[in-house]
Amino acid sequence: NNSLYDEGYKNVTCTYMGFSWSQKAHNILVPSKSSQLAAANGLNGFEGTPWYNNVGYTGKNESVRFAHFGTNTSFYLPKYDKNDYFIYFGSLLQHKGIDIAIQMAKDMKFNLVIASGEPNDNYKPLKEAYLKSIVGYDNIKYVELKNDQTHQYIKRNLIQNAKAFLFPVLYREGFGLVMIESLSCATPVITFNHGAPCEIVKHNETGFLCRDIY
Protein backbone atom coordinates (compact mmCIF):
# COMPACT_ATOMS: atom_id res chain seq x y z
CA ASN A 1 0.00 0.00 0.00
CA ASN A 2 1.12 3.55 -0.70
CA SER A 3 0.14 6.33 1.63
CA LEU A 4 -0.33 9.51 -0.39
CA TYR A 5 -0.59 13.05 0.92
CA ASP A 6 -1.74 16.08 -1.00
CA GLU A 7 -1.88 19.48 0.64
CA GLY A 8 -5.41 20.30 1.65
CA TYR A 9 -6.54 16.67 1.64
CA LYS A 10 -6.51 13.89 4.18
CA ASN A 11 -4.24 10.88 3.79
CA VAL A 12 -5.39 8.40 1.20
CA THR A 13 -4.38 4.74 1.33
CA CYS A 14 -4.36 3.12 -2.09
CA THR A 15 -4.70 -0.64 -1.95
CA TYR A 16 -4.92 -3.20 -4.75
CA MET A 17 -7.18 -5.54 -2.83
CA GLY A 18 -8.83 -5.39 0.56
CA PHE A 19 -5.94 -5.95 2.89
CA SER A 20 -6.25 -2.48 4.45
CA TRP A 21 -10.00 -1.97 4.47
CA SER A 22 -10.08 -2.24 8.25
CA GLN A 23 -7.78 0.79 8.59
CA LYS A 24 -10.48 3.28 9.42
CA ALA A 25 -7.92 6.05 9.96
CA HIS A 26 -7.45 6.52 6.22
CA ASN A 27 -9.63 7.09 3.22
CA ILE A 28 -9.31 3.91 1.14
CA LEU A 29 -9.04 4.02 -2.63
CA VAL A 30 -9.35 0.76 -4.59
CA PRO A 31 -9.05 0.22 -8.37
CA SER A 32 -12.45 -1.30 -9.17
CA LYS A 33 -16.15 -1.26 -8.35
CA SER A 34 -15.81 -4.93 -7.46
CA SER A 35 -13.27 -4.15 -4.74
CA GLN A 36 -15.40 -1.26 -3.51
CA LEU A 37 -18.40 -3.56 -3.12
CA ALA A 38 -16.25 -6.19 -1.42
CA ALA A 39 -15.02 -3.60 1.07
CA ALA A 40 -18.55 -2.54 1.92
CA ASN A 41 -19.40 -6.18 2.65
CA GLY A 42 -16.17 -7.10 4.45
CA LEU A 43 -14.99 -9.53 1.77
CA ASN A 44 -11.40 -10.14 0.74
CA GLY A 45 -11.77 -11.56 -2.77
CA PHE A 46 -10.84 -15.14 -1.96
CA GLU A 47 -14.22 -16.36 -0.70
CA GLY A 48 -14.97 -19.88 -1.89
CA THR A 49 -11.34 -20.65 -2.67
CA PRO A 50 -8.70 -22.67 -0.77
CA TRP A 51 -6.71 -19.48 -0.17
CA TYR A 52 -9.33 -17.64 1.87
CA ASN A 53 -7.77 -18.45 5.26
CA ASN A 54 -4.40 -17.16 4.09
CA VAL A 55 -5.88 -13.70 3.71
CA GLY A 56 -8.48 -13.61 6.44
CA TYR A 57 -11.29 -11.23 7.23
CA THR A 58 -10.67 -7.59 6.44
CA GLY A 59 -13.60 -5.89 8.14
CA LYS A 60 -16.25 -3.74 6.51
CA ASN A 61 -15.49 -0.25 5.27
CA GLU A 62 -18.31 1.57 3.50
CA SER A 63 -16.23 4.72 2.93
CA VAL A 64 -14.05 3.02 0.30
CA ARG A 65 -14.04 4.66 -3.14
CA PHE A 66 -12.64 3.42 -6.45
CA ALA A 67 -10.70 4.73 -9.44
CA HIS A 68 -9.61 2.47 -12.27
CA PHE A 69 -5.90 2.17 -12.99
CA GLY A 70 -4.48 3.41 -16.28
CA THR A 71 -1.57 2.38 -18.46
CA ASN A 72 0.86 4.03 -20.84
CA THR A 73 -0.88 3.80 -24.21
CA SER A 74 2.13 5.44 -25.86
CA PHE A 75 4.16 2.37 -24.88
CA TYR A 76 1.57 -0.42 -25.10
CA LEU A 77 0.71 0.22 -28.73
CA PRO A 78 -1.82 -1.80 -30.73
CA LYS A 79 -0.60 -4.44 -33.17
CA TYR A 80 -3.10 -6.21 -35.40
CA ASP A 81 -0.87 -8.74 -37.19
CA LYS A 82 -0.79 -11.52 -34.61
CA ASN A 83 1.26 -14.68 -34.26
CA ASP A 84 -0.14 -18.15 -33.61
CA TYR A 85 0.06 -18.32 -29.81
CA PHE A 86 -1.84 -17.39 -26.67
CA ILE A 87 -0.03 -15.80 -23.76
CA TYR A 88 -0.20 -16.18 -20.00
CA PHE A 89 1.69 -13.47 -18.16
CA GLY A 90 1.96 -13.29 -14.40
CA SER A 91 3.01 -15.03 -11.23
CA LEU A 92 3.26 -18.82 -11.35
CA LEU A 93 0.71 -19.23 -8.58
CA GLN A 94 -2.29 -21.55 -8.59
CA HIS A 95 -4.84 -18.86 -7.70
CA LYS A 96 -3.66 -16.90 -10.75
CA GLY A 97 -4.83 -19.79 -12.93
CA ILE A 98 -1.53 -20.99 -14.34
CA ASP A 99 -2.67 -24.62 -13.92
CA ILE A 100 -5.76 -23.88 -16.00
CA ALA A 101 -3.77 -22.21 -18.79
CA ILE A 102 -1.38 -25.16 -19.00
CA GLN A 103 -4.13 -27.78 -18.93
CA MET A 104 -6.10 -25.99 -21.65
CA ALA A 105 -3.03 -25.81 -23.88
CA LYS A 106 -2.41 -29.52 -23.36
CA ASP A 107 -6.03 -30.51 -24.03
CA MET A 108 -6.74 -28.15 -26.91
CA LYS A 109 -3.22 -28.27 -28.36
CA PHE A 110 -2.89 -24.54 -28.98
CA ASN A 111 0.46 -22.75 -28.68
CA LEU A 112 0.95 -21.14 -25.27
CA VAL A 113 3.70 -18.79 -24.11
CA ILE A 114 4.05 -18.51 -20.33
CA ALA A 115 5.92 -15.36 -19.34
CA SER A 116 6.85 -14.53 -15.77
CA GLY A 117 9.40 -12.52 -13.85
CA GLU A 118 12.32 -14.03 -12.00
CA PRO A 119 10.91 -15.76 -8.90
CA ASN A 120 12.38 -15.23 -5.46
CA ASP A 121 13.68 -18.19 -3.47
CA ASN A 122 10.23 -18.92 -1.98
CA TYR A 123 8.67 -19.44 -5.41
CA LYS A 124 11.49 -21.20 -7.24
CA PRO A 125 10.12 -24.68 -6.33
CA LEU A 126 6.78 -23.71 -7.93
CA LYS A 127 8.56 -22.58 -11.07
CA GLU A 128 10.46 -25.86 -11.29
CA ALA A 129 7.25 -27.86 -10.80
CA TYR A 130 5.49 -26.02 -13.63
CA LEU A 131 8.50 -26.34 -15.93
CA LYS A 132 8.52 -30.06 -15.24
CA SER A 133 4.80 -30.29 -16.06
CA ILE A 134 5.29 -28.93 -19.59
CA VAL A 135 8.24 -31.15 -20.53
CA GLY A 136 7.43 -32.94 -23.77
CA TYR A 137 4.81 -30.40 -24.88
CA ASP A 138 6.32 -28.56 -27.84
CA ASN A 139 3.32 -26.21 -27.96
CA ILE A 140 4.05 -24.73 -24.51
CA LYS A 141 6.99 -22.38 -24.05
CA TYR A 142 8.26 -20.67 -20.90
CA VAL A 143 9.91 -17.24 -21.05
CA GLU A 144 11.51 -15.83 -17.91
CA LEU A 145 11.70 -12.05 -17.88
CA LYS A 146 14.72 -10.51 -16.19
CA ASN A 147 14.19 -7.94 -13.49
CA ASP A 148 15.98 -5.25 -15.47
CA GLN A 149 15.32 -2.64 -18.16
CA THR A 150 14.49 -5.29 -20.77
CA HIS A 151 11.50 -6.64 -18.81
CA GLN A 152 8.81 -4.26 -20.05
CA TYR A 153 9.97 -4.34 -23.68
CA ILE A 154 9.96 -8.13 -23.92
CA LYS A 155 6.64 -8.27 -22.08
CA ARG A 156 5.09 -5.74 -24.47
CA ASN A 157 6.32 -7.58 -27.56
CA LEU A 158 4.99 -10.91 -26.31
CA ILE A 159 1.58 -9.40 -25.59
CA GLN A 160 1.42 -7.43 -28.85
CA ASN A 161 2.04 -10.54 -30.95
CA ALA A 162 -0.29 -12.91 -29.09
CA LYS A 163 -3.67 -13.98 -30.47
CA ALA A 164 -5.20 -13.56 -27.02
CA PHE A 165 -4.25 -13.09 -23.39
CA LEU A 166 -5.29 -15.85 -20.97
CA PHE A 167 -6.24 -14.49 -17.54
CA PRO A 168 -7.94 -17.42 -15.76
CA VAL A 169 -7.75 -16.07 -12.19
CA LEU A 170 -9.60 -18.17 -9.61
CA TYR A 171 -10.30 -15.41 -7.10
CA ARG A 172 -12.10 -12.09 -7.45
CA GLU A 173 -9.36 -10.04 -9.09
CA GLY A 174 -9.00 -6.52 -7.70
CA PHE A 175 -8.11 -5.02 -11.07
CA GLY A 176 -5.65 -6.85 -13.33
CA LEU A 177 -3.28 -4.29 -14.80
CA VAL A 178 -2.07 -6.80 -17.40
CA MET A 179 -5.58 -6.82 -18.88
CA ILE A 180 -5.55 -3.15 -19.84
CA GLU A 181 -1.96 -3.48 -21.07
CA SER A 182 -3.15 -6.31 -23.29
CA LEU A 183 -6.19 -4.44 -24.56
CA SER A 184 -4.00 -1.43 -25.30
CA CYS A 185 -1.98 -3.77 -27.56
CA ALA A 186 -5.20 -4.84 -29.33
CA THR A 187 -4.83 -8.31 -27.81
CA PRO A 188 -8.18 -9.66 -26.54
CA VAL A 189 -8.46 -11.00 -23.00
CA ILE A 190 -10.01 -14.37 -22.11
CA THR A 191 -10.94 -14.49 -18.44
CA PHE A 192 -13.64 -15.49 -15.95
CA ASN A 193 -16.72 -13.36 -15.35
CA HIS A 194 -16.09 -12.39 -11.76
CA GLY A 195 -14.36 -9.46 -10.12
CA ALA A 196 -12.81 -6.53 -11.95
CA PRO A 197 -12.54 -8.30 -15.35
CA CYS A 198 -16.28 -7.72 -15.74
CA GLU A 199 -15.59 -3.97 -15.65
CA ILE A 200 -12.67 -4.08 -18.07
CA VAL A 201 -13.47 -6.69 -20.71
CA LYS A 202 -16.46 -6.24 -23.01
CA HIS A 203 -17.69 -9.74 -23.77
CA ASN A 204 -17.50 -10.61 -27.49
CA GLU A 205 -15.92 -7.20 -28.22
CA THR A 206 -12.57 -6.92 -26.45
CA GLY A 207 -12.43 -10.49 -25.16
CA PHE A 208 -14.49 -13.19 -23.51
CA LEU A 209 -15.92 -13.49 -19.99
CA CYS A 210 -16.24 -17.20 -19.32
CA ARG A 211 -18.24 -19.18 -16.76
CA ASP A 212 -15.99 -22.27 -16.89
CA ILE A 213 -12.88 -23.61 -18.56
CA TYR A 214 -14.35 -25.13 -21.71
Side-chain angles (χ1 to χ4, degrees):
N1 303 326
N2 298 313
S3 202
L4 307 178
Y5 180 78
D6 191 6
E7 187 175 354
Y9 293 88
K10 296 180 179 179
N11 286 340
V12 176
T13 296
C14 298
T15 178
Y16 195 76
M17 286 291 287
F19 311 124
S20 295
W21 291 338
S22 59
Q23 296 180 10
K24 300 288 187 178
H26 296 293
N27 293 318
I28 309 296
L29 184 66
V30 294
S32 67
K33 292 180 182 178
S34 174
S35 289
Q36 182 185 33
L37 181 62
N41 289 282
L43 306 175
N44 66 23
F46 288 84
E47 285 76 18
T49 75
W51 308 282
Y52 173 75
N53 290 330
N54 295 335
V55 179
Y57 179 74
T58 59
K60 294 182 179 181
N61 192 328
E62 295 181 358
S63 67
V64 169
R65 297 295 180 264
F66 86 93
H68 284 152
F69 287 150
T71 192
N72 184 354
T73 55
S74 296
F75 181 78
Y76 289 100
L77 296 168
K79 184 176 184 295
Y80 301 101
D81 183 18
K82 303 294 187 179
N83 293 337
D84 185 25
Y85 69 86
F86 292 80
I87 186 168
Y88 169 95
F89 177 86
S91 303
L92 303 182
L93 299 173
Q94 190 178 19
H95 67 269
K96 291 287 188 178
I98 177 61
D99 301 78
I100 292 175
I102 291 174
Q103 192 59 52
M104 289 178 65
K106 289 179 178 179
D107 293 346
M108 302 174 70
K109 297 180 172 53
F110 59 75
N111 294 321
L112 174 65
V113 173
I114 300 168
S116 184
E118 295 177 281
N120 60 36
D121 290 341
N122 292 331
Y123 296 109
K124 283 181 180 179
L126 287 174
K127 171 195 167 184
E128 295 303 320
Y130 285 121
L131 289 181
K132 184 177 180 180
S133 74
I134 62 176
V135 170
Y137 291 89
D138 295 336
N139 60 317
I140 306 176
K141 177 183 178 183
Y142 173 75
V143 176
E144 186 170 290
L145 305 182
K146 301 295 183 182
N147 294 329
D148 59 21
Q149 67 273 15
T150 67
H151 182 108
Q152 293 297 330
Y153 293 95
I154 297 174
K155 171 187 173 182
R156 179 189 63 181
N157 291 341
L158 287 171
I159 293 174
Q160 281 180 324
N161 287 289
K163 293 171 63 175
F165 190 101
L166 297 184
F167 195 66
V169 291
L170 296 173
Y171 65 105
R172 189 180 57 251
E173 174 63 56
F175 185 75
L177 187 59
V178 288
M179 288 192 293
I180 62 172
E181 292 170 345
S182 179
L183 295 177
S184 184
C185 293
T187 301
V189 175
I190 301 174
T191 184
F192 289 126
N193 62 342
H194 53 230
C198 298
E199 303 169 36
I200 298 167
V201 177
K202 293 183 178 180
H203 185 62
N204 279 336
E205 292 185 30
T206 59
F208 297 96
L209 297 169
C210 306
R211 291 189 295 271
D212 53 40
I213 298 174
Y214 300 108

